[in-house]
Amino acid sequence: MWQSSPPGSIYDYIRVASFSIGPDGLIEQWSRRAAGLFGMASEEVVGKDPVEAFMPAELRPDAHRRVGEILDGKEWTGLVPFRIPGEDTVRGLAEIYVMPTETETGQRAALCIVVDVRALRRIETDLAASQAIFGQSPFGFVLFGTDFTVVRANKRFATVFGGEADDHRGRTVDDYLGRPEAERLSSTLQRVLETGDAVTDLQLVGTPPGSMGRRHWSMNLYRVHSGSGRPIGIAGLATDVTQRHIAAREAASARRNLALLNEASARIGNSLDLETTARELLDVAVPGFCDLASVDLFQGLLTGEEASPGSWGRHHQESGSGTAELRRVAHASAVSDALPGVIPGARTGGEADGDTGPPALGSVHRYPFHSPCAVALRTGRVEDVPGDERGFVHSTLAVPMVAHDVVVGLVQFSRTKGSEPFGERDRGLATELAARAAVCIDNARLYRREHERALILQRSLLPPGDPEAAGLDIACRYLPGNTATEVGGDWFDVIELPGHRTALVVGDVMGRGLRAAVAMGELRTAVRTLALLDLEPAEVLSALDEVARGLGTPGGGERSGGFGAGGGAQWPSRAAHKSREADLSEVYLATCVYAVYDPVTRRCTFANAGHLPPVVAEPGEPALLLDVPPGMPLGVGGEPFEEVEVELKEGSLLSLYTDGLVESRDHPLDEGLEAFRQALTEPSQQLEEVCDHVLTSLDTRHGEDDIALLMARIQGLAPDAVGDWRLPRELRSVGRARELARAQLTAWDLDDLVDTTELLVSELVTNALRYGEGEIRLRLLRDRTLVCEVWDAGLVQPRRRRARDTDEGGRGLQLVGLLSAAWGSRRTPRGKTVWFELALPDGEPAPELSVEQLLSMY
């Protein structure tokens, strides 16, 4: 059956044409393909001599001879250059096959078959180039037909997938890839065939035959057409990118690890709390690094044992009984169905109890001696924990937490099935994460120890219980900062002074931590010592300033230190110079308010060293800030302190405080002071209620700083509780003083104290007459005790001494010291005051003096 050549026939590529020559040697017939090959229509060629029409001039003689031979019946095949008539240059080269023929009349003619040699050479070159590229390329070439079966594959493709190149003809994508990847490649081939759009860098994953490892390929696909433009298949260029994929994965892993370490630096150690730091570590590690994780810390570290950290587990490990006790302080899981603590190798309790369950959060446990966790704790090296074949955890690292060459605990990182097992790079990252957390935990341990010591020291120096004072109702509050902040140097004190006077002190060392607490203790002790000397408030602060300046100098206050005992200059060594600089860098300044209240006059004298002003709220009046010159903080030196004396009304409320009450990062000081004043609008309430109201109504941001608050309600001594007389400077004043004292004590129903008081008053008045100057003043005060004061204008302070056996006098002050509860003397602006104090009778007979006490006076 005859049929037309389908599209894409060989004749479309080789360009075959024909024409015939008649007996006369002229072109007799001219085909359409000849017209297309030579570019001339039949009417331009028929009837012309082909030699003259197409051959170059220099070839024509030989061509005429050849045509004559052909017409004589000889066949001929050869290459003939040709040209288009009217053109001088050769346009092409034709291979001509000439067959002699005969006409109907028996004349000789010829049929010429012409093939364009250029097209043949081009096809030959293309095939050679295609074969060279296809066969010699280091990449895998494959040609799929329109039915998506392999039409051709090169040797490189066969090297990867086995066999010879021809063995792959007829195979499909299912023969090379698993089902999901094969379906994805098939759909891509279908799309390329239908649309003609090329696909580049199609990523495929598979396992070649005879290989255990997964390979990654990058494939470029494009549609292939015939000469007529008909799609005949899809060409694919496959490149093995496994190494590139591994390198990219390692680079991504390195970037992830670096990001993880950066995150760890930012998030771990923000809190100085052991458990919080452990949780911060797991927040970073899960799920960014692993699927499950837990942290165990030595129990001794958590309980604050003073033993060296290295001894926490040494005894148990050396004796072979397992690790020391650890507590599970944190656990995290990114797997929804994971139970808390499900990590291979974990065991609760000791070895004897046989409990193989995982430790619960907060439980105390030990690891068996030969377990990987115990080995990691013992050696300080990372250990692999075998996975549970029945469970879903298949890779676990037991990483010791090492800080300053000391193991403080253990962290376990686990990955479940479906995640990649830990590699060597992961081991390094796990060690780094654990080490960073360990340093933070050790710092938290050291901070907590110092914080507890400072807190114990600070609280031991604060007044115990509720302080009491004559003429004052006192309430106080002290709120230390929370565990996230260091202990501050805030303190307050209530000091009883002679004459039922009271010193009220509030101070704040400008520093934090143990040294601030120590400095506070030294200043508080110095204040109490100076207060017992009965100095004026300004004098107390001046002396305290010297003490404060000594706290910041080497040697505990020696400020010169440049010359030796021999008077020659002694230059300090480099080490001493560095030590001095280190000490000076820790100078602590302090602020302080010192107030002395006299309940007889209801007058209060203030001196301020850079502290916040006292607040006074009088009955029915708004609270006011007292205008007390602030002065310079203690430790600065060089400036005198001023005193301000204020008379306070009965029922007034005096408040001394530290800056933690009225100042925070979010609120300026002025707003805090105004809020404090507004909180004292009801000073008539119970004093304890007023303290609570102030602390609850002010936004103190408690925890950022220590808060000290000292409140005192003014309650002066009643007039009938004071006896005050002035006596002339004459001998009869001694008897007059005894009479006045006897009458006053009788009026107070203190008959049991009459004899002792008369005797001691007589001694003090006699001494004032003998050694003092000017007018004599006698004052009796009754409050919680009985106080007797004798005033004169003399400046010479009394001195107790032991009288010799031959002395007729000199035993008066010894008698005062034996019979009174306390006695002393103090300077006044116009002389001195000598006083003694007696306890009020409690119904029991007064104890008699012992023989030793009586003999001590002789």
Side-chain angles (χ1 to χ4, degrees), residues 576-609:
H577 180 68
K578 290 184 177 180
S579 176
R580 177 183 294 269
E581 288 184 347
D583 285 337
L584 290 176
S585 67
E586 295 291 342
V587 171
Y588 286 100
L589 303 178
T591 63
C592 180
V593 168
Y594 185 88
V596 175
Y597 172 68
D598 188 343
V600 179
T601 61
R602 294 200 313 275
R603 302 188 69 85
C604 191
T605 305
F606 297 91
N608 191 351

PDB file of all heavy atoms in Angstrom, residues 576-609:
ATOM      1  N   ALA A 576      51.946  45.932  95.326  1.00  0.00           N
ATOM      2  CA  ALA A 576      51.224  46.738  96.314  1.00  0.00           C
ATOM      3  C   ALA A 576      50.420  47.830  95.641  1.00  0.00           C
ATOM      4  O   ALA A 576      49.310  48.155  96.064  1.00  0.00           O
ATOM      5  CB  ALA A 576      52.216  47.345  97.303  1.00  0.00           C
ATOM      6  N   HIS A 577      50.985  48.401  94.571  1.00  0.00           N
ATOM      7  CA  HIS A 577      50.249  49.448  93.844  1.00  0.00           C
ATOM      8  C   HIS A 577      48.977  48.888  93.228  1.00  0.00           C
ATOM      9  O   HIS A 577      47.905  49.489  93.305  1.00  0.00           O
ATOM     10  CB  HIS A 577      51.157  50.027  92.762  1.00  0.00           C
ATOM     11  CG  HIS A 577      50.499  51.108  91.951  1.00  0.00           C
ATOM     12  ND1 HIS A 577      50.169  52.335  92.472  1.00  0.00           N
ATOM     13  CD2 HIS A 577      50.106  51.112  90.648  1.00  0.00           C
ATOM     14  CE1 HIS A 577      49.602  53.072  91.535  1.00  0.00           C
ATOM     15  NE2 HIS A 577      49.561  52.344  90.413  1.00  0.00           N
ATOM     16  N   LYS A 578      49.067  47.676  92.606  1.00  0.00           N
ATOM     17  CA  LYS A 578      47.878  47.040  92.040  1.00  0.00           C
ATOM     18  C   LYS A 578      46.875  46.715  93.123  1.00  0.00           C
ATOM     19  O   LYS A 578      45.674  46.854  92.934  1.00  0.00           O
ATOM     20  CB  LYS A 578      48.278  45.781  91.267  1.00  0.00           C
ATOM     21  CG  LYS A 578      49.037  46.066  89.975  1.00  0.00           C
ATOM     22  CD  LYS A 578      49.315  44.774  89.221  1.00  0.00           C
ATOM     23  CE  LYS A 578      50.009  45.069  87.896  1.00  0.00           C
ATOM     24  NZ  LYS A 578      50.287  43.824  87.144  1.00  0.00           N
ATOM     25  N   SER A 579      47.377  46.248  94.268  1.00  0.00           N
ATOM     26  CA  SER A 579      46.467  45.926  95.372  1.00  0.00           C
ATOM     27  C   SER A 579      45.752  47.169  95.848  1.00  0.00           C
ATOM     28  O   SER A 579      44.558  47.148  96.135  1.00  0.00           O
ATOM     29  CB  SER A 579      47.255  45.286  96.519  1.00  0.00           C
ATOM     30  OG  SER A 579      46.412  45.055  97.625  1.00  0.00           O
ATOM     31  N   ARG A 580      46.516  48.289  95.927  1.00  0.00           N
ATOM     32  CA  ARG A 580      45.883  49.538  96.363  1.00  0.00           C
ATOM     33  C   ARG A 580      44.822  49.972  95.367  1.00  0.00           C
ATOM     34  O   ARG A 580      43.714  50.377  95.740  1.00  0.00           O
ATOM     35  CB  ARG A 580      46.944  50.623  96.518  1.00  0.00           C
ATOM     36  CG  ARG A 580      46.389  51.999  96.911  1.00  0.00           C
ATOM     37  CD  ARG A 580      47.512  53.025  96.962  1.00  0.00           C
ATOM     38  NE  ARG A 580      48.453  52.724  98.028  1.00  0.00           N
ATOM     39  CZ  ARG A 580      48.328  53.209  99.261  1.00  0.00           C
ATOM     40  NH1 ARG A 580      47.312  53.985  99.560  1.00  0.00           N
ATOM     41  NH2 ARG A 580      49.213  52.918 100.174  1.00  0.00           N
ATOM     42  N   GLU A 581      45.119  49.867  94.057  1.00  0.00           N
ATOM     43  CA  GLU A 581      44.133  50.241  93.045  1.00  0.00           C
ATOM     44  C   GLU A 581      42.903  49.358  93.137  1.00  0.00           C
ATOM     45  O   GLU A 581      41.773  49.824  92.987  1.00  0.00           O
ATOM     46  CB  GLU A 581      44.754  50.134  91.654  1.00  0.00           C
ATOM     47  CG  GLU A 581      45.764  51.229  91.346  1.00  0.00           C
ATOM     48  CD  GLU A 581      46.275  51.132  89.938  1.00  0.00           C
ATOM     49  OE1 GLU A 581      46.031  50.072  89.308  1.00  0.00           O
ATOM     50  OE2 GLU A 581      46.896  52.088  89.460  1.00  0.00           O
ATOM     51  N   ALA A 582      43.113  48.058  93.384  1.00  0.00           N
ATOM     52  CA  ALA A 582      41.970  47.144  93.502  1.00  0.00           C
ATOM     53  C   ALA A 582      41.120  47.515  94.694  1.00  0.00           C
ATOM     54  O   ALA A 582      39.889  47.509  94.632  1.00  0.00           O
ATOM     55  CB  ALA A 582      42.461  45.704  93.626  1.00  0.00           C
ATOM     56  N   ASP A 583      41.797  47.876  95.822  1.00  0.00           N
ATOM     57  CA  ASP A 583      41.023  48.243  97.007  1.00  0.00           C
ATOM     58  C   ASP A 583      40.262  49.539  96.777  1.00  0.00           C
ATOM     59  O   ASP A 583      39.102  49.675  97.144  1.00  0.00           O
ATOM     60  CB  ASP A 583      41.950  48.398  98.217  1.00  0.00           C
ATOM     61  CG  ASP A 583      42.411  47.046  98.754  1.00  0.00           C
ATOM     62  OD1 ASP A 583      41.696  46.063  98.490  1.00  0.00           O
ATOM     63  OD2 ASP A 583      43.461  46.978  99.407  1.00  0.00           O
ATOM     64  N   LEU A 584      40.932  50.507  96.154  1.00  0.00           N
ATOM     65  CA  LEU A 584      40.264  51.788  95.931  1.00  0.00           C
ATOM     66  C   LEU A 584      39.113  51.661  94.959  1.00  0.00           C
ATOM     67  O   LEU A 584      38.168  52.444  95.003  1.00  0.00           O
ATOM     68  CB  LEU A 584      41.274  52.811  95.410  1.00  0.00           C
ATOM     69  CG  LEU A 584      42.323  53.277  96.441  1.00  0.00           C
ATOM     70  CD1 LEU A 584      43.321  54.209  95.779  1.00  0.00           C
ATOM     71  CD2 LEU A 584      41.659  53.962  97.631  1.00  0.00           C
ATOM     72  N   SER A 585      39.205  50.664  94.061  1.00  0.00           N
ATOM     73  CA  SER A 585      38.098  50.462  93.122  1.00  0.00           C
ATOM     74  C   SER A 585      36.853  49.953  93.830  1.00  0.00           C
ATOM     75  O   SER A 585      35.773  49.957  93.256  1.00  0.00           O
ATOM     76  CB  SER A 585      38.506  49.472  92.029  1.00  0.00           C
ATOM     77  OG  SER A 585      38.693  48.185  92.582  1.00  0.00           O
ATOM     78  N   GLU A 586      36.991  49.492  95.080  1.00  0.00           N
ATOM     79  CA  GLU A 586      35.862  48.970  95.834  1.00  0.00           C
ATOM     80  C   GLU A 586      35.418  49.939  96.921  1.00  0.00           C
ATOM     81  O   GLU A 586      34.859  49.537  97.926  1.00  0.00           O
ATOM     82  CB  GLU A 586      36.245  47.623  96.467  1.00  0.00           C
ATOM     83  CG  GLU A 586      36.529  46.534  95.451  1.00  0.00           C
ATOM     84  CD  GLU A 586      35.286  46.111  94.719  1.00  0.00           C
ATOM     85  OE1 GLU A 586      34.177  46.396  95.203  1.00  0.00           O
ATOM     86  OE2 GLU A 586      35.416  45.488  93.649  1.00  0.00           O
ATOM     87  N   VAL A 587      35.742  51.228  96.759  1.00  0.00           N
ATOM     88  CA  VAL A 587      35.318  52.200  97.760  1.00  0.00           C
ATOM     89  C   VAL A 587      33.799  52.234  97.823  1.00  0.00           C
ATOM     90  O   VAL A 587      33.129  52.264  96.792  1.00  0.00           O
ATOM     91  CB  VAL A 587      35.874  53.595  97.418  1.00  0.00           C
ATOM     92  CG1 VAL A 587      35.245  54.644  98.322  1.00  0.00           C
ATOM     93  CG2 VAL A 587      37.385  53.603  97.592  1.00  0.00           C
ATOM     94  N   TYR A 588      33.250  52.247  99.046  1.00  0.00           N
ATOM     95  CA  TYR A 588      31.807  52.299  99.219  1.00  0.00           C
ATOM     96  C   TYR A 588      31.436  53.622  99.882  1.00  0.00           C
ATOM     97  O   TYR A 588      31.876  53.901 101.001  1.00  0.00           O
ATOM     98  CB  TYR A 588      31.314  51.138 100.082  1.00  0.00           C
ATOM     99  CG  TYR A 588      31.322  49.816  99.366  1.00  0.00           C
ATOM    100  CD1 TYR A 588      32.346  48.918  99.559  1.00  0.00           C
ATOM    101  CD2 TYR A 588      30.307  49.490  98.482  1.00  0.00           C
ATOM    102  CE1 TYR A 588      32.363  47.703  98.885  1.00  0.00           C
ATOM    103  CE2 TYR A 588      30.308  48.285  97.806  1.00  0.00           C
ATOM    104  CZ  TYR A 588      31.339  47.395  98.016  1.00  0.00           C
ATOM    105  OH  TYR A 588      31.345  46.209  97.350  1.00  0.00           O
ATOM    106  N   LEU A 589      30.671  54.398  99.184  1.00  0.00           N
ATOM    107  CA  LEU A 589      30.071  55.574  99.792  1.00  0.00           C
ATOM    108  C   LEU A 589      28.777  55.159 100.478  1.00  0.00           C
ATOM    109  O   LEU A 589      28.238  54.086 100.224  1.00  0.00           O
ATOM    110  CB  LEU A 589      29.811  56.639  98.737  1.00  0.00           C
ATOM    111  CG  LEU A 589      31.026  57.096  97.927  1.00  0.00           C
ATOM    112  CD1 LEU A 589      30.589  58.117  96.891  1.00  0.00           C
ATOM    113  CD2 LEU A 589      32.104  57.659  98.812  1.00  0.00           C
ATOM    114  N   ALA A 590      28.284  56.038 101.339  1.00  0.00           N
ATOM    115  CA  ALA A 590      27.052  55.726 102.053  1.00  0.00           C
ATOM    116  C   ALA A 590      26.319  57.015 102.350  1.00  0.00           C
ATOM    117  O   ALA A 590      26.927  58.079 102.503  1.00  0.00           O
ATOM    118  CB  ALA A 590      27.343  54.974 103.347  1.00  0.00           C
ATOM    119  N   THR A 591      25.003  56.919 102.415  1.00  0.00           N
ATOM    120  CA  THR A 591      24.167  58.026 102.856  1.00  0.00           C
ATOM    121  C   THR A 591      23.550  57.663 104.194  1.00  0.00           C
ATOM    122  O   THR A 591      23.378  56.483 104.515  1.00  0.00           O
ATOM    123  CB  THR A 591      23.059  58.333 101.835  1.00  0.00           C
ATOM    124  OG1 THR A 591      22.191  57.198 101.728  1.00  0.00           O
ATOM    125  CG2 THR A 591      23.653  58.641 100.461  1.00  0.00           C
ATOM    126  N   CYS A 592      23.236  58.686 104.995  1.00  0.00           N
ATOM    127  CA  CYS A 592      22.746  58.403 106.340  1.00  0.00           C
ATOM    128  C   CYS A 592      22.000  59.609 106.884  1.00  0.00           C
ATOM    129  O   CYS A 592      22.377  60.761 106.630  1.00  0.00           O
ATOM    130  CB  CYS A 592      23.914  58.039 107.257  1.00  0.00           C
ATOM    131  SG  CYS A 592      23.451  57.649 108.961  1.00  0.00           S
ATOM    132  N   VAL A 593      20.933  59.335 107.617  1.00  0.00           N
ATOM    133  CA  VAL A 593      20.229  60.349 108.408  1.00  0.00           C
ATOM    134  C   VAL A 593      20.321  59.927 109.872  1.00  0.00           C
ATOM    135  O   VAL A 593      20.004  58.779 110.213  1.00  0.00           O
ATOM    136  CB  VAL A 593      18.755  60.488 107.981  1.00  0.00           C
ATOM    137  CG1 VAL A 593      17.987  61.330 108.995  1.00  0.00           C
ATOM    138  CG2 VAL A 593      18.646  61.139 106.618  1.00  0.00           C
ATOM    139  N   TYR A 594      20.783  60.875 110.709  1.00  0.00           N
ATOM    140  CA  TYR A 594      20.924  60.605 112.142  1.00  0.00           C
ATOM    141  C   TYR A 594      20.081  61.641 112.878  1.00  0.00           C
ATOM    142  O   TYR A 594      20.269  62.849 112.712  1.00  0.00           O
ATOM    143  CB  TYR A 594      22.385  60.704 112.556  1.00  0.00           C
ATOM    144  CG  TYR A 594      22.653  60.332 113.997  1.00  0.00           C
ATOM    145  CD1 TYR A 594      22.900  59.014 114.353  1.00  0.00           C
ATOM    146  CD2 TYR A 594      22.655  61.301 114.994  1.00  0.00           C
ATOM    147  CE1 TYR A 594      23.151  58.664 115.676  1.00  0.00           C
ATOM    148  CE2 TYR A 594      22.904  60.964 116.314  1.00  0.00           C
ATOM    149  CZ  TYR A 594      23.146  59.637 116.649  1.00  0.00           C
ATOM    150  OH  TYR A 594      23.382  59.290 117.958  1.00  0.00           O
ATOM    151  N   ALA A 595      19.130  61.160 113.681  1.00  0.00           N
ATOM    152  CA  ALA A 595      18.214  62.052 114.401  1.00  0.00           C
ATOM    153  C   ALA A 595      18.199  61.662 115.878  1.00  0.00           C
ATOM    154  O   ALA A 595      18.200  60.471 116.220  1.00  0.00           O
ATOM    155  CB  ALA A 595      16.808  61.965 113.829  1.00  0.00           C
ATOM    156  N   VAL A 596      18.182  62.669 116.758  1.00  0.00           N
ATOM    157  CA  VAL A 596      18.095  62.452 118.210  1.00  0.00           C
ATOM    158  C   VAL A 596      16.818  63.109 118.710  1.00  0.00           C
ATOM    159  O   VAL A 596      16.610  64.321 118.529  1.00  0.00           O
ATOM    160  CB  VAL A 596      19.329  63.025 118.930  1.00  0.00           C
ATOM    161  CG1 VAL A 596      19.156  62.897 120.437  1.00  0.00           C
ATOM    162  CG2 VAL A 596      20.595  62.307 118.470  1.00  0.00           C
ATOM    163  N   TYR A 597      15.978  62.321 119.350  1.00  0.00           N
ATOM    164  CA  TYR A 597      14.688  62.799 119.840  1.00  0.00           C
ATOM    165  C   TYR A 597      14.699  62.845 121.367  1.00  0.00           C
ATOM    166  O   TYR A 597      15.095  61.877 122.029  1.00  0.00           O
ATOM    167  CB  TYR A 597      13.562  61.890 119.368  1.00  0.00           C
ATOM    168  CG  TYR A 597      12.228  62.200 119.988  1.00  0.00           C
ATOM    169  CD1 TYR A 597      11.557  63.387 119.677  1.00  0.00           C
ATOM    170  CD2 TYR A 597      11.637  61.323 120.894  1.00  0.00           C
ATOM    171  CE1 TYR A 597      10.334  63.676 120.249  1.00  0.00           C
ATOM    172  CE2 TYR A 597      10.410  61.611 121.465  1.00  0.00           C
ATOM    173  CZ  TYR A 597       9.764  62.795 121.144  1.00  0.00           C
ATOM    174  OH  TYR A 597       8.558  63.087 121.724  1.00  0.00           O
ATOM    175  N   ASP A 598      14.270  64.006 121.908  1.00  0.00           N
ATOM    176  CA  ASP A 598      14.159  64.195 123.358  1.00  0.00           C
ATOM    177  C   ASP A 598      12.676  64.208 123.710  1.00  0.00           C
ATOM    178  O   ASP A 598      11.947  65.132 123.313  1.00  0.00           O
ATOM    179  CB  ASP A 598      14.812  65.519 123.765  1.00  0.00           C
ATOM    180  CG  ASP A 598      14.889  65.681 125.279  1.00  0.00           C
ATOM    181  OD1 ASP A 598      14.171  64.953 126.000  1.00  0.00           O
ATOM    182  OD2 ASP A 598      15.667  66.536 125.745  1.00  0.00           O
ATOM    183  N   PRO A 599      12.173  63.198 124.457  1.00  0.00           N
ATOM    184  CA  PRO A 599      10.732  63.136 124.736  1.00  0.00           C
ATOM    185  C   PRO A 599      10.268  64.190 125.730  1.00  0.00           C
ATOM    186  O   PRO A 599       9.072  64.460 125.820  1.00  0.00           O
ATOM    187  CB  PRO A 599      10.563  61.724 125.302  1.00  0.00           C
ATOM    188  CG  PRO A 599      11.868  61.398 125.905  1.00  0.00           C
ATOM    189  CD  PRO A 599      12.898  62.053 125.049  1.00  0.00           C
ATOM    190  N   VAL A 600      11.192  64.792 126.482  1.00  0.00           N
ATOM    191  CA  VAL A 600      10.792  65.813 127.443  1.00  0.00           C
ATOM    192  C   VAL A 600      10.378  67.083 126.714  1.00  0.00           C
ATOM    193  O   VAL A 600       9.350  67.712 127.023  1.00  0.00           O
ATOM    194  CB  VAL A 600      11.935  66.096 128.426  1.00  0.00           C
ATOM    195  CG1 VAL A 600      11.525  67.201 129.418  1.00  0.00           C
ATOM    196  CG2 VAL A 600      12.308  64.822 129.178  1.00  0.00           C
ATOM    197  N   THR A 601      11.179  67.462 125.716  1.00  0.00           N
ATOM    198  CA  THR A 601      10.897  68.701 124.975  1.00  0.00           C
ATOM    199  C   THR A 601      10.186  68.444 123.647  1.00  0.00           C
ATOM    200  O   THR A 601       9.766  69.398 123.001  1.00  0.00           O
ATOM    201  CB  THR A 601      12.212  69.450 124.698  1.00  0.00           C
ATOM    202  OG1 THR A 601      13.052  68.614 123.890  1.00  0.00           O
ATOM    203  CG2 THR A 601      12.921  69.774 126.014  1.00  0.00           C
ATOM    204  N   ARG A 602      10.081  67.194 123.240  1.00  0.00           N
ATOM    205  CA  ARG A 602       9.540  66.800 121.933  1.00  0.00           C
ATOM    206  C   ARG A 602      10.294  67.485 120.789  1.00  0.00           C
ATOM    207  O   ARG A 602       9.730  67.836 119.778  1.00  0.00           O
ATOM    208  CB  ARG A 602       8.050  67.087 121.820  1.00  0.00           C
ATOM    209  CG  ARG A 602       7.157  66.283 122.719  1.00  0.00           C
ATOM    210  CD  ARG A 602       5.731  66.267 122.206  1.00  0.00           C
ATOM    211  NE  ARG A 602       5.237  67.567 121.821  1.00  0.00           N
ATOM    212  CZ  ARG A 602       4.692  68.454 122.632  1.00  0.00           C
ATOM    213  NH1 ARG A 602       4.554  68.146 123.906  1.00  0.00           N
ATOM    214  NH2 ARG A 602       4.281  69.621 122.198  1.00  0.00           N
ATOM    215  N   ARG A 603      11.568  67.692 121.004  1.00  0.00           N
ATOM    216  CA  ARG A 603      12.400  68.281 119.967  1.00  0.00           C
ATOM    217  C   ARG A 603      13.302  67.192 119.391  1.00  0.00           C
ATOM    218  O   ARG A 603      13.813  66.332 120.112  1.00  0.00           O
ATOM    219  CB  ARG A 603      13.235  69.447 120.500  1.00  0.00           C
ATOM    220  CG  ARG A 603      12.386  70.551 121.098  1.00  0.00           C
ATOM    221  CD  ARG A 603      13.211  71.769 121.444  1.00  0.00           C
ATOM    222  NE  ARG A 603      13.704  72.466 120.267  1.00  0.00           N
ATOM    223  CZ  ARG A 603      13.009  73.375 119.580  1.00  0.00           C
ATOM    224  NH1 ARG A 603      11.775  73.697 119.967  1.00  0.00           N
ATOM    225  NH2 ARG A 603      13.529  73.966 118.517  1.00  0.00           N
ATOM    226  N   CYS A 604      13.481  67.282 118.067  1.00  0.00           N
ATOM    227  CA  CYS A 604      14.287  66.289 117.357  1.00  0.00           C
ATOM    228  C   CYS A 604      15.353  67.029 116.553  1.00  0.00           C
ATOM    229  O   CYS A 604      15.048  67.968 115.816  1.00  0.00           O
ATOM    230  CB  CYS A 604      13.414  65.440 116.424  1.00  0.00           C
ATOM    231  SG  CYS A 604      14.262  63.999 115.743  1.00  0.00           S
ATOM    232  N   THR A 605      16.599  66.596 116.720  1.00  0.00           N
ATOM    233  CA  THR A 605      17.730  67.217 116.030  1.00  0.00           C
ATOM    234  C   THR A 605      18.193  66.280 114.920  1.00  0.00           C
ATOM    235  O   THR A 605      18.485  65.104 115.172  1.00  0.00           O
ATOM    236  CB  THR A 605      18.880  67.484 117.004  1.00  0.00           C
ATOM    237  OG1 THR A 605      18.396  68.272 118.091  1.00  0.00           O
ATOM    238  CG2 THR A 605      20.010  68.225 116.314  1.00  0.00           C
ATOM    239  N   PHE A 606      18.255  66.806 113.686  1.00  0.00           N
ATOM    240  CA  PHE A 606      18.589  66.010 112.511  1.00  0.00           C
ATOM    241  C   PHE A 606      19.948  66.431 111.944  1.00  0.00           C
ATOM    242  O   PHE A 606      20.313  67.620 111.978  1.00  0.00           O
ATOM    243  CB  PHE A 606      17.549  66.179 111.403  1.00  0.00           C
ATOM    244  CG  PHE A 606      16.172  65.718 111.760  1.00  0.00           C
ATOM    245  CD1 PHE A 606      15.259  66.590 112.323  1.00  0.00           C
ATOM    246  CD2 PHE A 606      15.799  64.396 111.538  1.00  0.00           C
ATOM    247  CE1 PHE A 606      13.983  66.158 112.640  1.00  0.00           C
ATOM    248  CE2 PHE A 606      14.521  63.969 111.863  1.00  0.00           C
ATOM    249  CZ  PHE A 606      13.610  64.848 112.416  1.00  0.00           C
ATOM    250  N   ALA A 607      20.669  65.461 111.393  1.00  0.00           N
ATOM    251  CA  ALA A 607      21.853  65.702 110.559  1.00  0.00           C
ATOM    252  C   ALA A 607      21.790  64.710 109.404  1.00  0.00           C
ATOM    253  O   ALA A 607      21.446  63.540 109.601  1.00  0.00           O
ATOM    254  CB  ALA A 607      23.143  65.538 111.353  1.00  0.00           C
ATOM    255  N   ASN A 608      22.128  65.200 108.206  1.00  0.00           N
ATOM    256  CA  ASN A 608      21.931  64.391 106.990  1.00  0.00           C
ATOM    257  C   ASN A 608      23.239  64.318 106.207  1.00  0.00           C
ATOM    258  O   ASN A 608      23.908  65.330 105.995  1.00  0.00           O
ATOM    259  CB  ASN A 608      20.833  65.014 106.124  1.00  0.00           C
ATOM    260  CG  ASN A 608      20.400  64.100 104.988  1.00  0.00           C
ATOM    261  OD1 ASN A 608      21.013  63.070 104.741  1.00  0.00           O
ATOM    262  ND2 ASN A 608      19.349  64.476 104.293  1.00  0.00           N
ATOM    263  N   ALA A 609      23.582  63.097 105.773  1.00  0.00           N
ATOM    264  CA  ALA A 609      24.770  62.880 104.934  1.00  0.00           C
ATOM    265  C   ALA A 609      24.332  62.327 103.587  1.00  0.00           C
ATOM    266  O   ALA A 609      24.428  61.127 103.316  1.00  0.00           O
ATOM    267  CB  ALA A 609      25.741  61.928 105.620  1.00  0.00           C
TER     268      ALA A 609
END
